[in-house]
């Protein structure tokens, strides 16, 4: 019975979730202090992360990241211009 329920959920829920067109409009982040948002696309997060690593370490440049730019890129790219351990402080 449990297996049947899981299969039914996969048949009906997964296709519906894959059909979502999100995001279909610009998102918003609400903050108390003005920020400039630079969308640095390309290279599987490498370009944006390199830009953040090269910025002055004054606390005014933040990078959104996770496993892709802090772990996966280190394993997938031999010529990264940043070191996730040395160049960033969580």
């Amino acid at each position: 019975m449990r297996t049947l329920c899981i299969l039914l959920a996969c048949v009906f829920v997964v296709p519906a979730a894959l059909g979502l067109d999100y995001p279909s409009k610009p998102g918003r982040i609400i903050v108390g202090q003005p920020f400039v948002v630079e969308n640095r696309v390309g290279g599987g997060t490498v370009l944006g992360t390199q830009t953040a690593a090269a910025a002055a370490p004054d606390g005014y440049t933040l990078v959104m990241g996770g496993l892709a730019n802090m772990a996966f890129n280190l394993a997938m790219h031999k010529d990264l211009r940043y070191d996730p351990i040395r160049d960033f402080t969580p």
Side-chain angles (χ1 to χ4, degrees):
M1 187 63 164
R2 177 183 281 169
T3 304
L4 179 62
C5 289
I6 292 171
L7 288 174
L8 286 174
C10 289
V11 168
F12 293 107
V13 175
V14 171
L18 294 175
L20 295 177
D21 189 25
Y22 178 84
S24 61
K25 62 181 184 176
R28 297 183 337 163
I29 297 175
I30 299 174
V31 298
Q33 181 68 26
F35 274 86
V36 174
V37 177
E38 293 182 32
N39 292 313
R40 297 285 181 116
V41 297
T45 72
V46 172
L47 298 177
T49 309
Q50 283 178 178
T51 302
D58 56 8
Y60 284 89
T61 301
L62 306 175
V63 64
M64 298 290 286
L67 286 176
N69 56 345
M70 297 300 162
F72 296 159
N73 287 343
L74 187 61
M76 295 186 330
H77 302 282
K78 294 179 183 178
D79 58 343
L80 279 181
R81 289 186 229 156
Y82 68 92
D83 181 322
I85 305 297
R86 185 188 69 233
D87 294 335
F88 293 97
T89 302

